[in-house]
Amino acid sequence: MRQPGGIGIFGGTFNPIHLGHLRAAEEVRERVGLDEVRFVPAAAPPHKSAGELAPAPDRLRMVELAIADLADFRTSAIELERPGPSYSIDTLRALRNQLGEVRLVFILGLDAFRELHTWKDFAEIFGLSDVVVVTRPPCPDGLTPAQIPLAAREAFRYDPISESFRHASGHVLTFQRITALDISAATIRAHVAARRSIRFLVSPAVEAYIVERGLYRQEDVRR
Ligand code: ATP
């Protein structure tokens, strides 16, 4: 995947958005040569427990604050505008319809990729967009064919020259080693609940918003 241009789609719960997300998006943007990255907060993430979730408008707002003034990072409220569970495949189909032939690059961490077989219509993601899987501690790094969900594996062949897996649709699946930032939203929520500092884990505007809105203060701190 070396031809430049296109739109990165970075979905997540962003509960809250942290520097691990931002740095991952930046490194993929630069390496792939994307025109922009769109952060897509999930309104009702199918795989996360609702009890731990800040309201979707707050999570969206924190993404907006984190990327304010960055011309090549944008926020998409598409999953907040849609009722029901926020399935990535529905988002990709909608964006594909909206944006036409533009190159879409779906971005996700290796931890999320390893759960891909549990996602709705996951195999169709590869027919709609290129996919970049980024490293995330503590997952062992390296994307092996065995990590491609079985139901989709046969549709790929490995291209050693570009070091990518090429899908029957022509889209590519690449693996990108990025700066290891062992930051998770769960740890940040636990820090807030325990009244510990989250400075340098989230951007200052996000930290201020969490304080102002009193987010995550009641959470169970036994992590
Ligand atoms: P939680 O701790 O609540 O489970 P999270 O920190 O994993 O949240 P998500 O919003 O679930 O954050 O992540 C969205 C996407 O960002 C996923 O594809 C995930 O793999 C990736 N991601 C999250 N944190 C990092 C990180 N530190 N480095 C690289 N990728 C990350």
Side-chain angles (χ1 to χ4, degrees), residues 10-15 18 20-21 24 48 107-112 134-137 178 181-186 189:
F10 194 15
T13 313
F14 302 125
N15 185 36
H18 53 67
H21 297 127
K48 304 249 174 165
I107 303 165
L108 76 174
L110 185 54
D111 59 311
V134 297
T135 39
R136 178 180 185 184
I178 61 167
L181 294 175
D182 194 0
I183 303 173
S184 72
R189 296 193 299 274

Side-chain angles (χ1 to χ4, degrees), residues 67 130-131 135 152 174 197 217:
I67 67 173
D130 290 339
V131 175
T135 39
T174 26
S197 164
R217 292 175 64 87

Side-chain angles (χ1 to χ4, degrees), residues 13-74:
T13 313
F14 302 125
N15 185 36
I17 188 167
H18 53 67
L19 299 190
H21 297 127
L22 293 165
R23 185 64 203 171
E26 177 65 356
E27 293 195 21
V28 175
R29 182 199 64 74
E30 184 173 48
R31 163 84 85 86
V32 178
L34 296 171
D35 298 312
E36 65 178 61
V37 176
R38 285 194 198 177
F39 291 77
V40 188
H47 297 106
K48 304 249 174 165
S49 84
E52 294 197 334
L53 264 191
D58 283 324
R59 292 183 286 109
L60 175 70
R61 186 67 194 133
M62 289 189 280
V63 175
E64 287 169 353
L65 289 167
I67 67 173
D69 305 326
L70 301 175
D72 40 22
F73 280 4
R74 290 174 58 182

Side-chain angles (χ1 to χ4, degrees), residues 14 19 23 25 28 33 65 85 102 125 128 148-149 160 162 166 171 198:
F14 302 125
L19 299 190
R23 185 64 203 171
V28 175
L65 289 167
V102 69
I125 291 175
L128 290 169
I148 300 174
S162 62
R166 189 162 288 275
H171 289 119
I198 57 168

Side-chain angles (χ1 to χ4, degrees), residues 30-190:
E30 184 173 48
R31 163 84 85 86
V32 178
L34 296 171
D35 298 312
E36 65 178 61
V37 176
R38 285 194 198 177
F39 291 77
V40 188
H47 297 106
K48 304 249 174 165
S49 84
E52 294 197 334
L53 264 191
D58 283 324
R59 292 183 286 109
L60 175 70
R61 186 67 194 133
M62 289 189 280
V63 175
E64 287 169 353
L65 289 167
I67 67 173
D69 305 326
L70 301 175
D72 40 22
F73 280 4
R74 290 174 58 182
T75 309
S76 167
I78 188 169
E79 294 187 356
L80 277 73
E81 291 155 5
R82 204 170 62 213
S86 306
Y87 295 116
S88 296
I89 188 65
D90 295 338
T91 300
L92 278 175
R93 284 183 185 131
L95 291 173
R96 176 52 76 208
N97 283 339
Q98 234 176 61
L99 300 167
E101 287 306 296
V102 69
R103 179 163 73 131
L104 296 179
V105 180
F106 190 68
I107 303 165
L108 76 174
L110 185 54
D111 59 311
F113 186 75
R114 291 161 103 197
E115 298 300 316
L116 197 69
H117 62 281
T118 65
W119 293 21
K120 181 188 166 196
D121 297 343
F122 69 88
E124 289 183 35
I125 291 175
F126 304 110
L128 290 169
S129 66
D130 290 339
V131 175
V132 174
V133 180
V134 297
T135 39
R136 178 180 185 184
C139 278
D141 47 15
L143 182 63
T144 64
Q147 286 165 333
I148 300 174
L150 193 59
R153 212 174 293 164
E154 282 190 353
F156 284 93
R157 69 180 168 71
Y158 185 66
D159 172 11
I161 295 169
S162 62
E163 294 186 337
S164 61
F165 295 87
R166 189 162 288 275
H167 188 255
S169 64
H171 289 119
V172 287
L173 163 66
T174 26
F175 177 74
Q176 185 174 334
R177 202 170 304 272
I178 61 167
T179 304
L181 294 175
D182 194 0
I183 303 173
S184 72
T187 307
I188 290 164
R189 296 193 299 274

